[in-house]
Amino acid sequence: MLCMPKGLSFRTQADNRDPQLHSFIITREDGSRTYGFVLTFFEEVTSKQICTAMQTLYQMHNAEQYSSVCASSSCSMDSLASSIDEGDATSLAKLQRYNSYDISRDTLYVSKCICLITPLPFMQACKKFLIQLYKAVTSQQPPPLPLESYIHNILYEVPLPPPGRSLKFYGVYEPIICQRPGPNELPLSDYPLREVFELLGLENLVQVFTCVLLEMQILLYSQDYQRLMTVAEGITTLLFPFQWQHVYVPILPASLLHFLDAPVPYLMGLQSKEGTDRSKLELPQEANLCFVDIDNHFIELPEEFPQFPNKLEFIQEISEVLLQFGIPPEGNLHCSDSATKLKNLVLSDLVNDKKNGNIPSNALNMYELLKGNETIARLQALAKRTGVTMEKITITAPLVEKEKDGKLPCEEVELRDYKLNVQLREVFANRFTQMFADYEAFVIQAAPDMESWLTNREQMQNFDKASFLSDQPEPYLPFLSHFIETQMFATFIDNKIISQWEEKDPFLRVFDSRIEKIRLYNVRAPALRTSNYQKCSTLKEAAQSIEQRLMKIDHTAIHPHLLDMKIGQGKYEQGFFPKLQSDVLATGPTNNNRWASRSTTTQRRKDRLRQHSEHIGLDNDLREKYMQEARSLGKNLRQPKLSDLSPAVIAQTNWKFVEGLLKECRMKTKRMLVEKMGHEAVELGHGEANITGLEENTLIASLCDLLERIWSHGLQVKQGKSALWSHLLQYQEREEKQEHSAESPVAVGTERRKSDTGISLPTLRVSLIQDMRHVQNMSEIKTDVGRARAWIRLSLEKKLLSQHLKQLLSNQALAKKLYKRYAFLRCEEEREQFLYHLLSLNAVDYFCFTSVFTTIMIPYRSVIIPIKKLSNAITTSNPWICVSGELGETGVMQIPKNHLEMTFECQNLGKLTTVQIGHDNSGLLAKWLVDCVMVRNEITGHTYKFPCGRWLGKGIDDGSLERILIGELVSSTSDEELGKQCRTPPQQKSPTVARRLSITSLTGKNTKPNAGQIQEGIGEAVNNIVKHFHKPEKERGSLTILLCGENGLVAALEQVFHHGFKSARIFHKNVFIWDFIEKAVAYFETSDQIGDNEEALLLQRSSCKTFCHYVNAINTAPRNIGKDGKFQILVCLGTRDHLLPQWIPLLAECPPITRMYEENALLRDRMTVNSLIRVLQTLQDFNIILEGSLIKGVDV
């Protein structure tokens, strides 16, 4: 099946019968690979019965196809039409000419192949040996020895070359050289990277390479089997030191096409049929697919994947290497060997028509012919840079003969290919060496021995990902955060840990030695983590070592010799491959089997790892399922009856995929919860406990990929690039049809639930369809894949993902219509478990929609809730609010008269932080006691409560007409309780600030805290701010809450200033802290005018001036903020400009303090004041940036 992927092919003398070479790969159960090299040629059919049957078949076939000239043959002789040009296929005469066979006129030929199986990819040597065997069969003279001698020799008498050595062995006519890299060199790779770059072009190749690194689904597409193999092997070779861990089938046989349905990462090659349009190729899912059309020099990439670090400089460095060898970086589809062969095949008639200057000879490629000439190569590179292109040139036969005589150009071409291969691979390997030069410092080696490590592998964390990422240059993060989540990276780290108990993996040994070499050259370790691009410096050395091995042969194998054969055996007949004598080839010399030379240690490690493979990698069990699947595929490839796969076999295969998907879902949700809750546990009581930025985004993107793969499994008919969005659209269509005829069953009631005040937010409608409409209204998203991801993010943020998907799957009729019986979504028990795992994500808060779609317009609803028992519900003045969030603010918005509720639309504000509320104090009933303001994002449903509990109005409370309220997210309760949230105190799982100490406000509702509690509160508030700045920048919460929130620094300092404060009414007026501040300013200004009798230091005078300047600026600001609001602004500005430690001693020592504070007040205790100054000085090193709403209008 792999030697002849199309099956038998028949040709006539009119068809092209040139021999074709292709290779294939088989992956064994232990992950080891075996390579096959196949030469297919055509032999005359001598059986009259077969020729007669063929003529009958053709007559029947042409009768069926006569009416449709464009249709291709569907019988087993489809290859007869393979040489027809697509344009000529529409010609009836052409069709009749090709699709005809006359037994009296035509000679019939059938395909045969010679295959050589090897444990290492010695492609060039195997190719030469097979070509020499073929020449021996077709030559007019019989070979010097029977063919059995040469085959016996290569099977039993030619050993593997030792590492770092070269070996010469003998073919039929001439010697063949192969070489093997040394222990510290890059592993063997014999496939010509030149051809890979010519076929894809440099830019395309780097993009595909990135997709492979991120373990997406890669599908290669070409008419030529050898191209599929060359590109697949070329790209996986460049992964060093990492190795592809998933399904790897470079040539996918027709009988295994159902493997494209696999919901796992894969790298597969699919043969394209001539004239087949890409649009007609139906693939199960394309959301995460990289489609590589090799023949047309074209790739389709998945949406939203990160670029390779330093991509431009990387491409530039590779371009320089390619240009040295005369290869255009943009690729040249028509200069590769297989391209030339294909073109000759298609245009065989035109080439041989002896018109228009065409001559009947083989087309040669100018690059290939002159590659050994340095001058020509330089001229060509220069021509390429100046925009002059060099077309393919056909060379006449005499020059070809010269080449055959000299033999040097062929060897030079081969040597140049070897040199190019190793230099390109060095450039790629150098990138990883630079990026992961310090990876070892982040490997966690917790287990004392291998057994305990294998046993606890699933629970253990092997790599400190967060620390590693925080240590990397900013431009690398988008790629690296995705890459360190892959299976190939997990396996690489596992191999590193295992190496402390067993022999190092060969790839790891070479990589570690390179890092060691870098460290010797760069003594200063931090230089390793720079984002400056560092070119590879080992190109010449690598090329020289290859050249030395090929020029100076280390070992020579035994010559082929006559075997002990009976007389008459090995008979030669020109053009026919003889039937080989199996008894002669069955046994070889003892203890000389070249396949047996394997390291016992390596084998022992492989056996041990195979026994414990369920412990390896993050998604270990899952990976083992997929690997077994891939390897069983390798086993199956060797079974001749695979083409007759029964439905039971396919069902069993898909059942493994179902189990694998469920396992992956369990692992991914567990990882998301552990990450999130781990951060919450560490940060409980300070800041906002969540993982933001890259890490969370990577995990959620991974969940989106998983859902797309689940929805793509077992599809009946593919519709659109996103299977999930397609399912949602069909569900929406059915539901909307029902809505027209009846009330929608989706809506949870929209009635308004009354609170104690009779005012509340109306219940938000929980609707899958409504969330879809929100996404459909987002003009920024242009594709189905993007819409599906946005919908997943929105549902996850609303904690409705499991509920929505359950509702979607409840329509069983639709599920049956869209999915085959074996699909994951139709396996009831697994589906229920899957939804349960997703439900567990509701335990934590995600802002994965709000934080990603920052430019969309979002409708908000706000409600002002007054305290009716003490105040009028509606004020006669003109109220206004201004809502601010992490991404912006609304500006001042007037609230409609006699209304407490309003809706407004603005660009995404992000997480809401503050609300400014005020009025103009007009009318008879201007004074207004506001309990709180509620604001809700109408798309995500996030509701924020902004507690107030203070009056707005002149002559009451502190005379404030404007207040700045600090918001906190109301924890989402069950759907039934959503309407009550405005009156429900927050019951947050992750409190934004510590709640150990209840610091009272000045309303005096609670008992006042004692001196110890107040000092503890100050310590907590400052400590929270310090912790805030020690987090990675992208993971910090809101600084506004830490400054002005319930237990923030302002509230803590208020308690200090309020302790021992003589707040008795004077003439029926409350005295506020700000009154003390103003009296202190008056004293400082007066004492300066008198001439500073107290002989204060210059620094103190400077501090006094600054303090007075700030207080006066706040007093003269064009805002109607009350006295407590002014104190808040002063503390915020003092914290920002690091002035609080200078101001506190001034206030503690000024005369007004004796009049306004009792003797036991904290501010009058020197030790307490000194302690307070020391605590506040810990904030000196931080760059504090205040939110605009806090200090608006204050000019200092």
Side-chain angles (χ1 to χ4, degrees), residues 467-703:
S467 300
F468 174 76
L469 289 176
S470 67
D471 218 25
Q472 301 309 309
E474 183 75 22
Y476 290 12
L477 294 179
F479 171 81
L480 285 176
S481 62
H482 281 74
F483 179 67
I484 62 174
E485 297 292 337
T486 60
Q487 189 59 54
M488 71 174 79
F489 185 77
T491 303
F492 173 77
I493 297 300
D494 285 347
N495 287 339
K496 179 66 181 175
I497 292 171
I498 289 169
S499 69
Q500 65 186 313
W501 300 298
E502 292 195 345
E503 186 187 338
K504 264 189 185 179
D505 175 77
F507 279 50
L508 183 67
R509 188 185 63 244
V510 176
F511 187 66
D512 281 353
S513 69
R514 284 164 178 253
I515 289 176
E516 200 58 45
K517 198 179 285 185
I518 283 187
R519 287 202 181 117
L520 291 174
Y521 290 130
N522 300 317
V523 182
R524 202 162 56 86
L528 298 174
R529 293 189 286 277
T530 174
S531 60
N532 294 334
Y533 191 84
Q534 293 169 289
K535 284 190 175 182
C536 181
S537 57
T538 57
L539 296 182
K540 283 186 181 175
E541 299 167 25
Q544 281 169 1
S545 59
I546 286 263
E547 189 169 7
Q548 285 168 5
R549 275 201 294 276
L550 290 172
M551 302 309 279
K552 184 187 173 187
I553 307 303
D554 297 306
H555 303 283
T556 304
I558 300 169
H559 283 254
H561 51 84
L562 272 172
L563 302 172
D564 185 15
M565 295 172 67
K566 295 173 186 174
I567 296 171
Q569 285 184 339
K571 187 180 175 184
Y572 174 75
E573 189 176 350
Q574 186 188 353
F576 292 91
F577 196 87
K579 184 178 180 182
L580 299 173
Q581 305 303 314
S582 57
D583 55 337
V584 178
L585 298 175
T587 54
T590 55
N591 296 330
N592 196 23
N593 188 339
R594 62 182 177 142
W595 310 137
S597 58
R598 291 183 180 177
S599 161
T600 52
T601 313
T602 307
Q603 192 59 41
R604 188 170 68 249
R605 185 172 78 248
K606 280 184 180 175
D607 293 341
R608 179 101 48 102
L609 282 180
R610 192 159 68 248
Q611 291 166 14
H612 297 281
S613 54
E614 68 271 13
H615 299 293
I616 294 180
L618 177 70
D619 303 332
N620 318 305
D621 298 345
L622 169 68
R623 171 182 169 241
E624 186 59 21
K625 293 280 183 194
Y626 298 161
M627 289 301 290
Q628 282 176 358
E629 192 56 51
R631 290 161 187 165
S632 67
L633 171 58
K635 280 193 290 181
N636 291 340
L637 295 182
R638 299 190 288 279
Q639 296 171 3
K641 293 185 179 178
L642 188 63
S643 53
D644 305 322
L645 273 177
S646 66
V649 174
I650 293 175
Q652 180 60 28
T653 299
N654 280 289
W655 180 246
K656 288 182 180 178
F657 285 143
V658 168
E659 286 183 326
L661 283 169
L662 184 61
K663 183 79 177 176
E664 187 175 0
C665 179
R666 184 176 71 82
M667 296 301 290
K668 275 194 167 51
T669 51
K670 179 181 173 184
R671 171 81 198 282
M672 289 170 76
L673 280 171
V674 166
E675 283 290 340
K676 194 91 167 175
M677 287 178 161
H679 278 254
E680 291 188 351
V682 172
E683 297 167 9
L684 188 61
H686 61 90
E688 291 180 296
N690 61 356
I691 48 168
T692 57
L694 284 163
E695 192 170 7
E696 179 174 302
N697 229 7
T698 303
L699 292 172
I700 289 165
S702 174
L703 178 69

Side-chain angles (χ1 to χ4, degrees), residues 548 559 829 935 1085 1168:
Q548 285 168 5
H559 283 254
E829 190 176 331
V935 181
E1085 288 175 342
T1168 306

Side-chain angles (χ1 to χ4, degrees), residues 867-912:
I867 299 177
K868 285 176 108 179
K869 291 173 184 174
L870 303 173
S871 152
N872 43 303
I874 301 290
T875 177
T876 55
S877 58
N878 298 301
W880 55 268
I881 63 166
C882 173
V883 183
S884 302
E886 291 179 349
L887 300 176
E889 66 168 49
T890 60
V892 171
M893 298 181 294
Q894 292 296 327
I895 299 168
K897 273 259 185 187
N898 301 321
H899 282 80
L900 293 172
E901 181 181 330
M902 66 180 284
T903 56
F904 58 92
E905 192 175 70
C906 65
Q907 189 169 306
N908 186 359
L909 299 173
K911 293 181 190 173
L912 302 187

